[in-house]
Amino acid sequence: MSLPSLHSLRTFESVARLGNIAAAAAELHVTPGAVSQQLRALQLSLGLDLFEKQGRRQVLTERGTALQKSVAIAMRQISGSIRDISANAYSAATKATLRVSVPSVFATTWLATRIFRFLDENQDIRMQMLTAVRFEEVDWRKVDVAIVYGNPPWPGFWWRLLQSLPMTPVCSPQLLRGPHAIREPRDLLHHRLLHEDDGSQWRRWLNEARVPHFVESDIYFDNFAMVLQAARDGHGVALTSGIISFRDRDEGRLVQPLTLNVPSAPQYHCICREEGLENPLIGRFVDWLVNQASRPSGW
């Protein structure tokens, strides 16, 4: 019997690990129909049922479990070999420079805690970090990969959503004390609402909270790092996502006084030119970045 194709085995391993065809399709960047077709072809070629459906999940049969263990080991060995030979290929040459553009607040609150891990694992790469927030601000003559805050489409570019951003209020712990302590949404009306935009994000949140409001501020910022610092200093309440505020909340500088969150209109995306993914350095960084963002603890 001839061996199944590596592509079908990779598809099988993804479905077996994730337990869901749609999730595997997203990971492999193909349609769910293409994943189902690969699974059917694999099972027909083997003459075996590898899965049985339980609700929305694809559960491995006994024979499927045995095959999954072998395939998972083989995939890890192949990936490890590719990493090794790639590292060896670059080790004799001068380190290549990867130029990455990133919003400053994203860099300081999330990427800075992880990027050195990437460099330790990829010692053939030297990185140059630049700052820009939106796609229009990125100078693509100087940038290989960018993390941008906005919404596609961007013709001629590949992009991937890093994570949906639920927005929720954060403030200094001192605003939880005193006669106007924040305990429910209406208490926000006693405090300055800190804005980076024209107030639309706060209007969306207050509408969801059913709080009558007239959103206007005596100060607006064009840099969200300034918004966060004002919140840390107790000057008002910021509306932000977990990805941006996690470190401050974890270290006690900010607290989340209310549980209601609303989706952000713009989102963080990883983006590069369509032809950029053919560059192994760019592809390696993009794969790492998307993997970091997809982890439950990634934020």
Side-chain angles (χ1 to χ4, degrees):
M1 181 177 64
S2 60
L3 289 174
S5 70
L6 183 61
H7 183 54
S8 65
L9 290 173
R10 184 188 180 203
T11 302
F12 163 73
E13 190 280 330
S14 181
V15 176
R17 174 166 39 82
L18 299 173
N20 183 278
I21 287 177
E27 180 179 74
L28 299 171
H29 313 314
V30 297
T31 65
V35 172
S36 297
Q37 184 177 0
Q38 285 291 329
L39 290 182
R40 283 194 298 270
L42 177 61
Q43 293 181 116
L44 284 173
S45 69
L46 297 176
L48 299 171
D49 288 329
L50 301 175
F51 294 96
E52 58 183 20
K53 195 168 184 181
Q54 293 184 5
R56 295 185 177 181
R57 291 186 60 80
Q58 296 288 333
V59 179
L60 289 166
T61 63
E62 183 177 348
R63 290 177 175 177
T65 300
L67 180 61
Q68 188 272 338
K69 291 179 181 178
S70 298
V71 171
I73 292 171
M75 289 296 181
R76 286 196 294 270
Q77 290 175 336
I78 292 171
S79 297
S81 296
I82 290 173
R83 282 195 301 270
D84 290 344
I85 63 175
S86 297
N88 290 336
Y90 286 109
S91 62
T94 303
K95 286 188 177 184
T97 299
L98 186 64
R99 303 168 302 172
V100 180
S101 173
V102 60
S104 58
V105 69
F106 183 97
T108 56
T109 57
W110 187 81
L111 188 60
T113 63
R114 294 162 173 79
I115 196 62
F116 297 104
R117 188 186 313 159
F118 174 79
L119 290 172
D120 288 341
E121 296 170 358
N122 298 271
Q123 298 188 16
D124 56 312
I125 294 178
R126 176 174 52 243
M127 301 197 73
Q128 181 180 356
M129 306 296 291
L130 301 96
T131 58
V133 177
R134 303 186 184 278
F135 174 82
E136 297 77 12
E137 301 170 7
V138 178
D139 185 350
W140 288 101
R141 297 168 300 177
K142 302 178 180 179
V143 170
D144 301 308
V145 181
I147 297 167
V148 300
Y149 186 60
N151 293 315
W154 296 292
F157 289 81
W158 173 97
W159 62 85
R160 175 63 49 79
L161 174 68
L162 289 182
Q163 184 71 297
S164 296
L165 300 178
M167 307 291 281
T168 192
V170 295
C171 64
S172 166
Q174 70 191 62
L175 299 191
L176 302 185
R177 302 185 292 270
H180 297 306
I182 301 174
R183 297 188 178 90
E184 58 182 57
R186 296 181 68 89
D187 296 330
L188 292 175
L189 301 180
H190 296 293
H191 300 276
R192 178 182 283 109
L193 303 183
L194 301 170
H195 299 274
E196 183 193 21
D197 61 5
D198 60 0
S200 58
Q201 290 278 22
W202 266 116
R203 280 193 292 273
R204 293 179 67 204
W205 192 94
L206 292 168
N207 282 333
E208 288 291 327
R210 299 179 182 177
V211 175
H213 62 278
F214 178 69
V215 176
E216 186 174 352
S217 178
D218 55 359
I219 183 168
Y220 288 80
F221 301 93
D222 71 352
N223 185 317
F224 198 73
M226 298 172 69
V227 173
L228 282 181
Q229 189 57 51
R232 294 183 194 111
D233 292 339
H235 296 303
V237 184
L239 191 62
T240 185
S241 64
I243 178 177
I244 298 301
S245 65
F246 173 79
R247 191 170 180 180
D248 280 307
R249 290 185 290 113
D250 187 54
E251 296 175 2
R253 290 184 293 270
L254 293 174
V255 294
Q256 180 182 327
L258 304 165
T259 59
L260 175 66
N261 61 64
V262 298
S264 170
Q267 306 282 356
Y268 283 108
H269 291 79
C270 174
I271 181 171
C272 69
R273 295 183 185 88
E274 289 179 347
E275 64 272 19
L277 291 176
E278 298 175 7
N279 182 327
L281 295 180
I282 296 176
R284 213 187 312 169
F285 178 71
V286 167
D287 287 345
W288 174 84
L289 187 66
V290 171
N291 176 267
Q292 290 290 310
S294 67
R295 296 181 179 185
S297 60
W299 304 94

mmCIF file of all heavy atoms in Angstrom, residues 15 44 53 98 141 156 178-179 238 291:
data_model
loop_
_atom_site.group_PDB
_atom_site.id
_atom_site.type_symbol
_atom_site.label_atom_id
_atom_site.label_comp_id
_atom_site.label_asym_id
_atom_site.label_seq_id
_atom_site.Cartn_x
_atom_site.Cartn_y
_atom_site.Cartn_z
ATOM 1 N N VAL A 15 -6.644 18.361 12.588
ATOM 2 C CA VAL A 15 -8.013 18.059 13.049
ATOM 3 C C VAL A 15 -7.967 17.231 14.326
ATOM 4 O O VAL A 15 -8.736 17.461 15.271
ATOM 5 C CB VAL A 15 -8.807 17.331 11.954
ATOM 6 C CG1 VAL A 15 -10.193 16.928 12.471
ATOM 7 C CG2 VAL A 15 -8.956 18.199 10.714
ATOM 8 N N LEU A 44 -10.272 6.839 2.960
ATOM 9 C CA LEU A 44 -10.507 5.904 1.851
ATOM 10 C C LEU A 44 -9.234 5.169 1.468
ATOM 11 O O LEU A 44 -9.245 3.963 1.197
ATOM 12 C CB LEU A 44 -11.065 6.667 0.648
ATOM 13 C CG LEU A 44 -12.539 7.084 0.724
ATOM 14 C CD1 LEU A 44 -12.904 7.979 -0.454
ATOM 15 C CD2 LEU A 44 -13.445 5.847 0.759
ATOM 16 N N LYS A 53 -17.977 11.459 14.794
ATOM 17 C CA LYS A 53 -18.471 12.784 15.156
ATOM 18 C C LYS A 53 -19.252 12.719 16.460
ATOM 19 O O LYS A 53 -20.139 11.878 16.634
ATOM 20 C CB LYS A 53 -19.349 13.351 14.035
ATOM 21 C CG LYS A 53 -19.605 14.829 14.165
ATOM 22 C CD LYS A 53 -20.221 15.388 12.905
ATOM 23 C CE LYS A 53 -20.390 16.901 13.013
ATOM 24 N NZ LYS A 53 -21.011 17.482 11.805
ATOM 25 N N LEU A 98 15.659 41.830 10.219
ATOM 26 C CA LEU A 98 14.211 41.827 10.024
ATOM 27 C C LEU A 98 13.677 43.138 10.580
ATOM 28 O O LEU A 98 13.875 43.464 11.751
ATOM 29 C CB LEU A 98 13.580 40.644 10.767
ATOM 30 C CG LEU A 98 12.095 40.406 10.543
ATOM 31 C CD1 LEU A 98 11.810 40.057 9.089
ATOM 32 C CD2 LEU A 98 11.590 39.286 11.454
ATOM 33 N N ARG A 141 9.043 51.106 2.594
ATOM 34 C CA ARG A 141 10.401 51.064 2.064
ATOM 35 C C ARG A 141 11.385 50.628 3.146
ATOM 36 O O ARG A 141 12.490 50.167 2.845
ATOM 37 C CB ARG A 141 10.810 52.443 1.532
ATOM 38 C CG ARG A 141 9.962 52.956 0.356
ATOM 39 C CD ARG A 141 10.229 54.409 0.080
ATOM 40 N NE ARG A 141 9.902 55.234 1.249
ATOM 41 C CZ ARG A 141 10.096 56.542 1.312
ATOM 42 N NH1 ARG A 141 10.622 57.186 0.275
ATOM 43 N NH2 ARG A 141 9.770 57.219 2.397
ATOM 44 N N GLY A 156 -2.849 44.074 -2.038
ATOM 45 C CA GLY A 156 -1.436 43.792 -2.250
ATOM 46 C C GLY A 156 -0.716 43.306 -1.020
ATOM 47 O O GLY A 156 0.489 43.024 -1.073
ATOM 48 N N GLY A 178 -13.516 56.229 48.164
ATOM 49 C CA GLY A 178 -14.067 57.567 48.279
ATOM 50 C C GLY A 178 -15.539 57.653 47.921
ATOM 51 O O GLY A 178 -16.178 56.652 47.572
ATOM 52 N N PRO A 179 -16.123 58.858 47.983
ATOM 53 C CA PRO A 179 -17.563 59.022 47.768
ATOM 54 C C PRO A 179 -18.002 58.701 46.343
ATOM 55 O O PRO A 179 -19.163 58.402 46.101
ATOM 56 C CB PRO A 179 -17.796 60.507 48.084
ATOM 57 C CG PRO A 179 -16.456 61.160 47.899
ATOM 58 C CD PRO A 179 -15.455 60.138 48.316
ATOM 59 N N ALA A 238 -9.678 54.916 31.566
ATOM 60 C CA ALA A 238 -9.365 54.603 30.170
ATOM 61 C C ALA A 238 -10.194 53.413 29.722
ATOM 62 O O ALA A 238 -10.581 52.561 30.525
ATOM 63 C CB ALA A 238 -7.879 54.295 30.017
ATOM 64 N N ASN A 291 1.331 32.443 16.288
ATOM 65 C CA ASN A 291 1.275 31.386 17.299
ATOM 66 C C ASN A 291 1.214 31.960 18.704
ATOM 67 O O ASN A 291 0.434 31.505 19.554
ATOM 68 C CB ASN A 291 2.485 30.465 17.154
ATOM 69 C CG ASN A 291 2.549 29.396 18.235
ATOM 70 O OD1 ASN A 291 3.188 29.579 19.271
ATOM 71 N ND2 ASN A 291 1.882 28.290 17.992
#
